[in-house]
């Protein structure tokens, strides 16, 4: 699955930390494609067991962290866990089948 990350239209270049929980019932290869995200900013990708994140060429991967995590099985439990762990959830998306996921990041 390719994860496309771009800033929202009102933000020319995104330069804040981000945390992603990438959960799947089956192990996946998450391919990351980014545009206009400043390198060197902490970005964390938690993936379900057996999954990996592949970064594009460039130095984005130098400041990104990937960690396998056992997530709660149900989405409600996952959302509650994320809120407890991070204090807020700004976006939650559930997809049954997809090859590409487009996420706008920003304020």
């Amino acid at each position: 699955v390719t994860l496309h990350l771009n800033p929202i239209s009102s933000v020319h270049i995104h330069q804040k930390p981000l945390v992603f929980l990438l959960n799947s019932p089956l192990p996946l290869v998450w391919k990351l494609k980014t545009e206009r995200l400043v390198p060197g900013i902490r970005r964390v990708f938690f993936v379900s067991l057996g999954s990996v994140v592949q970064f594009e060429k460039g130095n984005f991967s130098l400041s990104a962290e990937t960690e396998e995590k056992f997530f709660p099985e149900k989405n409600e439990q996952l959302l509650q866990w994320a809120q407890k762990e991070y204090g807020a959830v700004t976006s939650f998306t559930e997809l049954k089948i997809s090859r590409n996921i487009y996420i706008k990041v920003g304020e």
Side-chain angles (χ1 to χ4, degrees), residues 20-89:
F20 290 90
L21 308 178
L22 304 174
N23 189 25
S24 172
L26 299 173
L28 284 178
V29 175
W30 296 91
K31 296 178 183 178
L32 194 64
K33 298 212 178 256
T34 65
E35 288 183 32
R36 300 186 344 257
L37 272 65
V38 172
I41 304 293
R42 185 172 186 245
R43 295 179 179 103
V44 182
F45 297 88
F46 291 109
V47 296
S48 48
L49 300 178
S51 293
V52 295
V53 177
Q54 290 181 347
F55 299 96
E56 294 177 287
K57 293 180 182 177
N59 61 2
F60 185 84
S61 62
L62 297 177
S63 59
E65 302 169 33
T66 303
E67 183 181 328
E68 283 187 66
K69 203 118 177 118
F70 179 79
F71 291 120
E73 193 172 309
K74 296 186 178 189
N75 285 336
E76 281 184 13
Q77 295 168 333
L78 177 61
L79 188 56
Q80 289 172 355
W81 176 84
Q83 289 172 326
K84 180 181 170 190
E85 193 75 16
Y86 296 100
V89 173

Side-chain angles (χ1 to χ4, degrees), residues 88-92 106:
V89 173
T90 57
S91 177
F92 185 92

